[in-house]
Amino acid sequence: MVGAGQLTDLVVIQQNTTTADSQGGRSSSWSTLARVWASVTPSSASEQLIVQAVQSAVGYAVTIRYRADVTPSMRVSWTPHQHTTAKTLQILGVYPLDGHRAFLMLTCGEVI
């Protein structure tokens, strides 16, 4: 069970938006949907062989208060404590915690 006092990380939930550019094309950018308090914890780690180089992949569990507007097409920007650089986490899944609408669990993978 998660309590509100455990949400100690400030994260930014971002959504991809597309706009028309001046040449008649479309450009996409990430815009802020919301800034919310969260609990961010590493949930998994693995190594992958990508184009003859080994890269590590870290999974995260991000717990936030319930919101109906968060989807797997979004991402989370999070700056860990004592760091100055934000990590970008792609949302892979969105689940109500314990089947209730009090908190959401976001399963995420770090975008490298």
Side-chain angles (χ1 to χ4, degrees):
M1 191 71 179
V2 175
Q6 294 173 300
L7 306 180
T8 58
D9 296 292
L10 187 59
V11 300
V12 178
I13 299 173
Q14 299 174 328
Q15 61 187 352
N16 197 329
T17 56
T18 27
T19 56
D21 63 20
S22 59
Q23 280 87 36
R26 302 196 62 74
S27 64
S28 92
S29 63
W30 291 95
S31 62
T32 298
L33 173 71
R35 283 179 170 65
V36 297
W37 290 101
S39 170
V40 181
T41 55
S43 62
S44 66
S46 64
E47 291 184 346
Q48 302 170 352
L49 181 62
I50 301 173
V51 190
Q52 301 301 325
V54 175
Q55 290 186 342
S56 61
V58 179
Y60 290 89
V62 179
T63 304
I64 63 172
R65 289 188 184 275
Y66 184 85
R67 295 180 61 101
D69 57 352
V70 179
T71 69
S73 65
M74 298 175 180
R75 69 184 192 180
V76 172
S77 178
W78 165 62
T79 304
H81 296 290
Q82 312 257 332
H83 289 81
T84 57
T85 306
K87 293 182 180 278
T88 302
L89 310 176
Q90 181 64 47
I91 298 175
L92 305 172
V94 179
Y95 310 96
L97 202 56
D98 297 332
H100 298 96
R101 290 188 169 196
F103 295 96
L104 279 182
M105 172 73 69
L106 312 177
T107 56
C108 299
E110 186 173 359
V111 177
I112 300 174

